[in-house]
């Protein structure tokens, strides 16, 4: 999921952390530029760096998250899905300037008058890295496989659940027929894979795509090497249709200790560090003003939350896990969250590098941003929280301990990411705040929170997802359809929520093409999540990251005015990055010119406004 290894997350996490050859004009607005020039960093062979070519320009990115899977059908963590955006094209992409939809593998698209048939024109200038042409048949095979194989639908099945039929009448024409209207047809965040390679896979639920290298793809980079919990190495695709990246290699190097990653940046051993997924305020402050280092601090695309275990269950009705039964009472969940001081978390943990949370979608996506009404808000009020617990039948004994219905003191276990200092810091506050209610808190900080999360063996968990420009995916993970088929299976669910009213709202937003009306339904969905108390969004953290200006001359942020570099809805940052010693003065123009050219080619959809989206996760360990 974009958080069981989240922050995707991503999944997408969370389930998050998404132009070009046409460039000729300057893009100062799109790029963070720096003037210092020095050689780019290259790591030693075998350590995720330069594969032996001493002249290679290597961009090394320090990450605090490990890969969950290199299969696009299974991956949900932010790091994994970011790698897939670099190695495979999607039908459409998002403009790095303002997130609007632009062409990807598809150059244009149109819908039938009834909105049930969508026809995409597939570009003829995209080739797989083994030399074969990328065609509409590859896209049709990808979607059909997800429609017919539950294993292939693990990560992104929600996008095809409404598909009736997908065909490829010609190499450049893809036709998707729907059962009913679907508003996400220009935001299908699904990596298109080469049929001639993937049709040989026997079991999509187990194939992780991590044995044979290089991995065949058609994105700006080719995946060439991988060592679990160590590094992922990619090389520039010189034949990429938008133009080759300017760095020869891109390496994601794993650091379990975030301070060690920051130290590596200082030493020049890595080019960029994003943290887990952001730098702490102390780390960022320590880097500001340092020679050859630039700190990027901008509104993020993530939310940071507490998820409660609502009673883990499968679609077949089987209950499993060991969540505390008191949390099945909405009054208890709401009381707990009324005893969380969001302002203190923003001020003391994030030290102002965040905004107080409420709904699922960060304020960066203003169309969908939700704020509770005055009468609805679960404002910080410990006294009211205590009274609500009393009313629910959870009273304190003579020692001040609040007792469960079994007469035993309440002691909640909270799944915590060992690599995320924010989890530990917030956890200490929860121990204090909930302790005043008479409730004990045990922090279960693990390197891998995925296994207990999927098994439902937790009471609460730190959660978070990176949200894409279309909100569908991050909303879909709370539907009943996202539950695992059986306790032994892995579903797309975040934390086993299954609520009929929520599902009805979800179906309405998916079928609503009017952008304004859809946005209102999306806000109602968030309101329902807020009221039920299964998810408590505490903050929207800034994207706080840093890079060496003596290794990276310029790099694209998304959005351009004030956006993130790591975990984008696209490949813009790493594709656009210009080595400091390249002597290339056209770095900025490569971004702006392409956007202009791409936008000119977009077909305006009949009856549709521009669809701004918000998808994907940050997982328990960092969904996308």
């Amino acid at each position: 999921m974009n958080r069981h290894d989240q922050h995707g997350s991503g999944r997408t996490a969370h389930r998050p952390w998404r132009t070009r050859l046409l460039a000729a004009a300057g893009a100062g607005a799109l790029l963070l530029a720096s003037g210092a020039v020095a050689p780019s960093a290259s790591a030693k062979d075998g350590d995720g760096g330069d594969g032996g070519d001493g002249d290679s320009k290597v961009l090394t990115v320090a990450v605090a998250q490990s890969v969950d899977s290199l299969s696009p059908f299974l991956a949900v963590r932010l790091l994994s899905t970011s790698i897939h955006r670099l190695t495979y094209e999607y039908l459409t992409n998002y403009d790095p300037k303002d997130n609007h939809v632009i062409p990807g593998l598809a150059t244009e698209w149109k819908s039938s008058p009834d909105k049930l048939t969508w026809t995409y024109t597939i570009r003829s200038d995209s080739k797989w890295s083994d030399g074969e042409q990328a065609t509409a048949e590859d896209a049709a095979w990808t979607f059909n496989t997800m429609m017919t194989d539950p294993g292939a639908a693990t990560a992104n099945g929600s996008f095809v659940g409404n598909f009736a039929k997908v065909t490829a009448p010609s190499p450049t024409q893809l036709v998707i027929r729907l059962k009913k209207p679907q508003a996400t047809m220009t935001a299908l965040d699904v990596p298109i894979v080469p049929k001639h390679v993937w049709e040989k896979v026997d079991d999509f639920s187990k194939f992780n795509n991590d044995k044979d290298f290089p991995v065949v793809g058609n994105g700006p980079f080719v995946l060439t090497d991988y060592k679990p919990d160590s590094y992922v190495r990619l090389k520039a695709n010189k034949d990429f249709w938008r133009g080759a990246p300017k760095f020869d290699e891109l390496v994601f190097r794993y650091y379990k200790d975030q301070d060690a990653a920051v130290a590596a940046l200082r030493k020049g051993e890595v080019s960029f560090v994003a943290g887990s997924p952001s730098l702490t305020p102390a780390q960022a402050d320590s880097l500001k003003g340092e020679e050859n280092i630039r700190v990027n601090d901008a509104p993020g695309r993530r939310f940071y939350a507490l998820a409660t275990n609502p009673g883990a269950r499968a679609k077949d009705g089987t209950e499993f896990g060991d969540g505390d039964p008191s949390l099945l009472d909405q009054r208890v969940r709401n009381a707990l969250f009324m005893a969380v001081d969001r302002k203190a978390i923003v001020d003391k943990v994030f030290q102002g590098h965040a905004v107080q949370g409420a709904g699922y979608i960060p304020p960066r996506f203003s169309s969908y941003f939700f704020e509770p009404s005055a009468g609805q808000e679960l404002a910080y009020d410990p006294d009211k929280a205590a009274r609500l617990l009393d009313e629910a039948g959870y009273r304190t004994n003579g020692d001040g301990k609040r007792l469960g219905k079994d007469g035993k003191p309440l002691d909640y276990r909270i799944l915590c990411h060992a690599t995320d200092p924010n989890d530990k810091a917030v956890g200490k506050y929860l121990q204090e705040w909930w302790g005043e209610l008479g409730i004990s808190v045990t922090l279960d900080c693990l390197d891998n929170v995925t296994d207990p999360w999927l098994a439902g063996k937790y009471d609460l968990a730190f959660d978070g997802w990176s949200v894409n420009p279309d909100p569908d995916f991050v909303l879909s993970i709370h539907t009943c359809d996202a539950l695992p088929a059986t306790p032994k299976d892995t579903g797309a669910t975040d934390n086993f929520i299954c609520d009929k009213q929520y599902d009805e709202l979800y179906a309405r937003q998916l079928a609503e093409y009017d952008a304004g009306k859809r946005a209102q339904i999306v806000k109602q969905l968030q309101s329902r999540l807020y009221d039920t108390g299964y998810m408590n969004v505490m903050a929207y953290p800034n994207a706080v990251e840093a890079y060496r200006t003596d290794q990276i001359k310029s790099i694209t942020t998304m959005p351009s005015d004030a956006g993130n570099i790591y975990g984008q809805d696209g490949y813009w940052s790493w594709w656009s990055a210009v080595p400091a010693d390249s002597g290339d003065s056209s770095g900025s123009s490569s971004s702006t010119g392409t956007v202009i050219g791409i936008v000119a080619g977009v077909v305006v959809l009949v009856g549709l406004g521009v669809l701004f989206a918000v998808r994907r996760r940050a997982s328990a360990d960092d969904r996308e």
Side-chain angles (χ1 to χ4, degrees):
M1 292 178 262
N2 215 328
R3 207 180 134 120
H4 306 301
D5 287 330
Q6 105 197 25
H7 296 299
S9 317
R11 182 202 225 339
T12 76
H14 321 46
R15 271 255 6 75
W17 317 121
R18 297 159 4 168
T19 223
R20 272 5 145 12
L21 210 42
L22 306 174
L30 272 178
L31 300 177
L32 288 175
S34 60
V37 178
S40 61
S42 62
K44 296 178 181 178
D45 190 23
D47 189 31
D50 188 355
D53 181 357
D55 295 329
S56 293
K57 299 183 187 301
V58 183
L59 196 167
T60 304
V61 178
V63 295
Q65 183 185 57
S66 58
V67 169
D68 56 343
S69 177
L70 289 177
S71 166
F73 297 110
L74 301 178
V76 293
R77 294 183 186 174
L78 179 59
L79 173 60
S80 308
T81 55
S82 295
I83 291 169
H84 290 140
R85 284 194 171 277
L86 295 168
T87 53
Y88 301 103
E89 276 283 26
Y90 296 40
L91 288 182
T92 59
N93 211 322
Y94 300 107
D95 190 305
K97 183 176 182 180
D98 59 10
N99 295 315
H100 76 267
V101 176
I102 60 175
L105 185 61
T107 59
E108 59 184 24
W109 45 86
K110 60 182 179 181
S111 68
S112 59
D114 62 5
K115 306 295 189 296
L116 294 179
T117 300
W118 287 75
T119 302
Y120 301 82
T121 300
I122 302 301
R123 64 177 59 259
S124 58
D125 57 352
S126 177
K127 288 190 175 184
W128 299 110
S129 53
D130 62 0
E132 292 207 22
Q133 182 70 37
T135 69
E137 182 61 30
D138 294 305
W141 184 88
T142 298
F143 291 128
N144 278 310
T145 300
M146 293 169 60
M147 292 164 61
T148 57
D149 189 309
T154 299
N156 298 305
S158 64
F159 287 109
V160 302
N162 182 45
F163 287 11
K165 187 177 182 180
V166 182
T167 58
S170 75
T172 58
Q173 188 178 65
L174 175 73
V175 179
I176 300 177
R177 293 187 175 85
L178 305 174
K179 300 172 186 176
K180 55 187 178 182
Q182 180 170 325
T184 61
M185 297 307 290
T186 59
L188 299 173
D189 290 337
V190 176
I192 303 302
V193 302
K195 174 185 176 182
H196 66 282
V197 174
W198 283 83
E199 64 183 353
K200 301 171 185 176
V201 175
D202 293 325
D203 189 343
F204 288 95
S205 67
K206 297 180 180 179
F207 181 71
N208 282 312
N209 196 30
D210 58 359
K211 303 301 181 186
D212 297 321
F213 298 96
V215 172
V216 178
N218 63 338
F221 289 89
V222 178
L223 180 55
T224 60
D225 195 10
Y226 165 63
K227 183 178 179 181
D229 296 327
S230 183
Y231 65 83
V232 180
R233 180 187 296 156
L234 304 99
K235 288 192 175 181
N237 180 0
K238 302 300 183 182
D239 297 319
F240 183 50
W241 68 272
R242 288 194 197 272
K246 294 178 175 59
F247 275 93
D248 301 305
E249 282 194 82
L250 173 62
V251 176
F252 293 98
R253 191 186 299 172
Y254 175 73
Y255 286 84
K256 183 177 179 180
D257 186 307
Q258 188 163 306
D259 286 330
V262 172
L265 182 75
R266 281 197 174 91
K267 297 175 184 176
E269 296 172 352
V270 300
S271 315
F272 180 98
V273 60
S276 60
S278 294
L279 298 177
T280 66
Q283 290 167 338
D285 289 344
S286 73
L287 292 172
K288 289 178 180 177
E290 287 217 5
E291 185 178 5
N292 298 327
I293 291 179
R294 172 164 295 181
V295 175
N296 181 46
D297 186 349
R301 55 182 282 244
R302 293 187 55 254
F303 64 78
Y304 182 72
L306 268 174
T308 60
N309 185 338
R313 60 191 138 165
K315 286 182 183 177
D316 65 5
T318 304
E319 296 181 355
F320 57 96
D322 60 3
D324 194 296
S326 65
L327 294 171
L328 300 179
D329 191 323
Q330 180 176 327
R331 292 170 296 179
V332 173
R333 298 192 299 268
N334 287 349
L336 290 176
F337 298 150
M338 281 189 280
V340 173
D341 188 343
R342 292 172 175 81
K343 185 177 186 302
I345 289 174
V346 169
D347 292 344
K348 297 179 180 180
V349 176
F350 292 100
Q351 295 183 26
H353 300 275
V355 176
Q356 289 186 50
Y360 241 45
I361 299 172
R364 167 165 155 177
F365 302 101
S366 58
S367 297
Y368 300 116
F369 180 57
F370 160 80
E371 292 182 284
S373 63
Q376 178 185 22
E377 184 182 7
L378 297 172
Y380 179 57
D381 190 337
D383 292 336
K384 186 175 181 180
R387 293 195 298 271
L388 192 56
L389 288 171
D390 289 340
E391 293 171 9
Y394 296 91
R395 297 181 177 276
T396 56
N397 62 14
D399 296 326
K401 299 292 185 181
R402 198 164 293 271
L403 304 180
K405 296 299 175 66
D406 59 2
K408 297 179 180 179
L410 293 178
D411 183 358
Y412 292 139
R413 302 156 301 160
I414 302 182
L415 276 179
C416 163
H417 301 84
T419 57
D420 191 339
N422 292 327
D423 283 5
K424 298 173 185 176
V426 173
K428 290 181 179 179
Y429 280 107
L430 295 178
Q431 289 175 325
E432 174 186 339
W433 295 329
W434 293 355
E436 294 175 356
L437 294 176
I439 298 173
S440 298
V441 172
T442 300
L443 294 179
D444 192 8
C445 295
L446 306 172
D447 291 333
N448 173 19
V449 303
T450 300
D451 292 341
W453 193 305
L454 294 178
K457 294 184 176 181
Y458 65 97
D459 297 324
L460 299 103
F462 288 105
D463 195 9
W465 288 82
S466 292
V467 179
N468 298 22
D470 190 283
D472 180 72
F473 184 87
V474 79
L475 298 172
S476 74
I477 59 178
H478 294 308
T479 61
C480 298
D481 281 345
L483 294 174
T486 72
K488 294 182 179 179
D489 295 308
T490 299
T493 185
D494 182 23
N495 65 318
F496 306 103
I497 294 174
C498 180
D499 177 75
K500 183 177 179 181
Q501 184 175 334
Y502 180 91
D503 277 16
E504 291 173 351
L505 288 168
Y506 174 79
R508 283 178 55 200
Q509 69 82 28
L510 183 61
E512 181 56 71
Y513 281 108
D514 183 280
K517 292 179 180 179
R518 185 181 180 216
Q520 289 306 309
I521 301 172
V522 169
K523 291 179 182 179
Q524 292 177 47
L525 273 163
Q526 296 177 82
S527 179
R528 178 63 181 171
L529 278 178
Y530 186 89
D531 290 341
T532 57
Y534 291 121
M535 295 293 300
N536 173 237
V537 177
M538 296 178 287
Y540 309 111
N542 285 6
V544 186
E545 48 203 2
Y547 67 95
R548 292 198 63 90
T549 57
D550 55 353
Q551 295 179 19
I552 302 174
K553 177 188 294 184
S554 60
I555 192 166
T556 300
T557 61
M558 183 177 185
S560 58
D561 288 344
N564 55 295
I565 296 172
Y566 179 75
Q568 293 182 355
D569 294 296
Y571 38 65
W572 312 119
S573 54
W574 313 125
W575 176 85
S576 71
V578 177
D581 62 348
S582 67
D584 187 342
S585 61
S586 63
S588 58
S589 64
S590 67
S591 283
T592 301
T594 305
V595 172
I596 294 172
I598 292 175
V599 174
V602 177
V603 171
V604 178
L605 303 181
V606 178
L608 289 182
V610 174
L611 290 179
F612 287 165
V614 190
R615 157 202 182 211
R616 247 184 139 84
R617 35 272 173 100
S619 120
D621 290 345
D622 208 16
R623 293 147 138 104
E624 186 203 348

